């Protein structure tokens, strides 16, 4: 029997890699997409096959995590074996500007989806995209037993989702797990997260189309891994016998300043000549240091990150240079760019 998966957030960075992974494993993949006035599927366009084609295995459905009734209808129709809840307002800085919306999608969205599973009377395995932002002010190293202390509306909303996932596991005997993932990045990372903001700027500065890069706090420490590897960890969490929560991380500590230095050095530039400070990128409360201890995932899932942050920075800079070079070249279409993967430079 072909397994069916349902993914919220399929148009995002992780959703696109997860869809790729599941399709490669023979799954039929169903994704929730939001209606927008412009196309928002560029990260998955290369996977899409017209549904009239009998080989089609990827199906997209309009819906929203704020619309519980739609979630029930869809789940009852699709009857998935696995549900991955990756949909969220995922930007920490933006969550201070839109706290209520963040609570509604990143927090309440999860209970809508869990309730939809229950109401539809199905028993899929359920993955919740939890985050190292739960640890917030608690110093590293952080593992599954570290106390939580969120520092943003985003972190607080994810904390609710974490606990409600655990509650549904205990209350209804659901196979529902939290993947507590530390920062993970890729050439498909949203352009306003710090790593991608840096690597795009490096490419543009090198090409002579940008002069400066305005940044906020350079002292934050993060544990940056490669997103394509992390989705494998998500999948493995749903394949074990017992539902448990897991940290996925590299275990390394780099500052934003380190990431700047490595990225600029990769193209032979000195970052200090180009980077300027702008207080608009500061957060009302900052998360100073996140460094994960992924030993449980290694022991029980056999999962280990292989791409380290310095290598990741170079992968992302190379990809952004390539994207700039290809931009405006008529014979390279969006599909080619979206399907370009950095494995060649690993
Ligand atoms: P992302 O690129 O920002 O993608 C977020 C996805 O959620 C997009 O597909 C977005 O759709 C969708 N979405 C937003 N609001 C929605 C709503 N109301 N209803 C339905 N879908 C909605 O995020 P990501 O980096 O792939 O991360 C995936 C998940 O892991 C998120 O929950 C994030 O919070 C969590 N996480 C990420 C990291 C990380 O370092 N990347 C670490 C820990 C946890 P549109 O494309 O239409 O905007
Ligand atoms: O910031 C600092 C900023 O926005 C990283 C999300 O995927 O990971 C992500 O959240 C650090 C922060 O990611 C700029 O203050 C400095 O300390 O790339 P970020 P994040 O806040 O760590 C977690 C695990 C998630 O779950 C989230 O969904 O970089 N920083 N200057 C800046 N950050 C940004 N964005 N822009 C700057 O100019």
């Amino acid at each position: 029997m072909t397994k069916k998966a349902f993914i919220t957030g399929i148009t995002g960075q992780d959703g696109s890699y997860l869809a790729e992974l599941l399709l490669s494993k023979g799954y039929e993949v169903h994704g929730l997409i939001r209606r927008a006035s412009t196309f928002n599927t560029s990260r998955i366009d290369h996977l899409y096959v017209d549904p009239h084609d009998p080989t089609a295995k990827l199906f997209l459905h309009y819906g929203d995590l704020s619309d519980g009734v739609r979630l029930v209808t869809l789940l009852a129709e699709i009857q998935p074996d696995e549900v991955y809840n990756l949909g969220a307002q995922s930007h920490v800085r933006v969550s201070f500007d839109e706290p209520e919306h963040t609570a509604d999608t990143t927090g309440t969205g999860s209970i809508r989806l869990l309730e939809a599973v229950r109401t539809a009377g199905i028993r899929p395995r359920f993955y919740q995209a939890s985050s190292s932002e739960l640890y917030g002010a608690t110093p590293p190293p952080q593992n599954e037993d570290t106390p939580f202390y969120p520092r943003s509306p985003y972190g607080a909303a994810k904390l609710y989702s974490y606990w409600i996932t655990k509650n549904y596991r205990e209350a209804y005997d659901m196979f529902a797990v939290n993947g507590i993932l530390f920062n993970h990045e890729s050439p498909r990372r949203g352009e306003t997260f710090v790593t991608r903001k840096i690597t795009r700027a490096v490419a543009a500065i090198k090409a002579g189309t940008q002069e400066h890069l305005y940044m906020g706090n350079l002292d934050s420490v993060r544990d940056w891994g490669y997103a394509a590897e992390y989705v494998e960890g998500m999948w493995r969490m749903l394949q074990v016998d017992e539902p448990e929560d897991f940290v996925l991380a590299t275990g390394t500590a780099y500052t934003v300043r380190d990431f700047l230095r490595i990225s600029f050095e990769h193209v032979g530039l000195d970052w200090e000549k180009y980077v300027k400070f702008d207080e608009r990128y500061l957060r009302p409360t900052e998360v100073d240091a996140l460094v994960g201890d992924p030993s449980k995932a290694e022991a029980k899932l056999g999962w280990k990150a292989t791409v380290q942050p310095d290598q990741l920075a170079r992968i992302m800079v190379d990809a952004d240079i390539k994207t700039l070079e290809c931009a405006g070249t008529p014979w390279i279409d969006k599909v080619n760019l979206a399907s370009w993967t950095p494995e060649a430079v690993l």
Side-chain angles (χ1 to χ4, degrees):
M1 283 282 283
T2 302
K3 272 196 172 181
K4 286 188 201 174
F6 178 69
I7 305 175
T8 72
I10 193 168
T11 55
Q13 170 189 256
D14 292 4
S16 68
Y17 284 117
L18 181 65
E20 239 165 55
L21 178 79
L22 296 177
L23 288 169
S24 76
K25 291 183 182 296
Y27 278 67
E28 182 176 302
V29 175
H30 293 259
L32 187 75
I33 60 166
R34 299 196 285 176
R35 148 76 190 147
S37 66
T38 51
F39 288 124
N40 57 2
T41 54
S42 62
R43 291 190 180 99
I44 51 170
D45 283 346
H46 62 292
L47 301 174
Y48 195 70
V49 173
D50 187 307
H52 302 101
D53 184 325
T55 65
K57 287 235 167 193
L58 172 64
F59 302 94
L60 301 177
H61 309 269
Y62 284 116
D64 198 294
L65 283 166
S66 61
D67 182 353
V69 173
R70 175 63 174 149
L71 296 175
V72 178
T73 312
L74 273 177
L75 288 176
E77 215 172 271
I78 297 165
Q79 302 262 324
D81 302 285
E82 294 172 11
V83 171
Y84 295 86
N85 185 26
L86 310 185
Q89 191 300 95
S90 72
H91 202 285
V92 173
R93 177 67 192 81
V94 172
S95 79
F96 288 98
D97 300 328
E98 298 187 36
E100 187 180 343
H101 170 70
T102 304
D104 193 36
T105 55
T106 309
T108 316
S110 310
I111 189 67
R112 289 196 192 96
L113 191 60
L114 282 161
E115 263 304 273
V117 166
R118 225 167 60 82
T119 313
I122 54 175
R123 304 283 297 166
R125 294 190 167 201
F126 185 95
Y127 174 88
Q128 169 59 27
S130 281
S131 163
S132 52
E133 282 291 306
L134 299 178
Y135 300 119
T138 311
Q142 292 110 351
N143 68 18
E144 293 80 1
D145 300 320
T146 304
F148 298 137
Y149 190 152
R151 294 269 285 171
S152 64
Y154 169 82
K158 282 286 181 190
L159 186 68
Y160 173 75
S161 291
Y162 169 91
W163 280 113
I164 203 66
T165 300
K166 206 162 166 135
N167 178 247
Y168 269 53
R169 176 160 90 214
E170 294 166 0
Y172 303 115
D173 197 24
M174 277 175 61
F175 192 112
V177 304
N178 286 289
I180 308 172
L181 271 53
F182 283 64
N183 300 51
H184 45 281
E185 322 290 314
S186 73
R188 297 183 198 171
R189 183 60 145 151
E191 289 85 350
T192 59
F193 294 96
V194 78
T195 54
R196 186 77 198 288
K197 180 172 167 178
I198 292 170
T199 61
R200 285 183 88 223
V202 167
I205 289 170
K206 184 69 183 171
T209 58
Q210 183 175 331
E211 273 185 51
H212 299 294
L213 169 62
Y214 289 91
M215 302 282 302
N217 174 19
L218 306 187
D219 295 324
S220 313
V221 172
R222 289 291 184 274
D223 176 335
W224 284 294
Y226 179 35
E229 296 191 318
Y230 284 51
V231 297
E232 170 74 26
M234 294 177 188
W235 176 76
R236 289 192 190 194
M237 285 181 216
L238 296 196
Q239 312 311 312
V240 290
D241 292 339
E242 292 300 323
E244 283 186 67
D245 303 328
F246 288 93
V247 160
L248 298 185
T250 68
T252 61
Y254 283 68
T255 61
V256 173
R257 189 177 288 98
D258 291 331
F259 201 93
L260 276 166
R261 182 181 44 75
I262 295 163
S263 303
F264 276 86
E265 267 176 16
H266 186 49
V267 297
L269 297 176
D270 174 2
W271 72 273
E272 290 184 272
K273 292 190 179 144
Y274 303 95
V275 175
K276 291 177 181 259
F277 174 71
D278 185 337
E279 66 179 10
R280 93 166 71 168
Y281 299 114
L282 297 179
R283 288 138 195 224
T285 40
E286 176 63 282
V287 170
D288 294 330
L290 294 173
V291 186
D293 166 9
S295 42
K296 180 178 172 188
E298 189 176 353
K300 293 196 167 181
L301 303 176
W303 181 90
K304 192 171 164 51
T306 66
V307 177
Q308 303 301 317
D310 53 344
Q311 195 182 1
L312 177 65
R314 292 192 284 272
I315 289 170
M316 292 174 67
V317 169
D318 286 343
D320 278 321
I321 289 173
K322 191 171 167 90
T323 303
L324 262 192
E325 286 169 358
C326 296
T329 312
W331 48 268
I332 295 192
D333 59 17
K334 274 172 85 179
V335 175
N336 283 339
L337 276 180
S339 61
W340 185 79
T341 51
E343 277 70 22
V345 292
L346 279 182

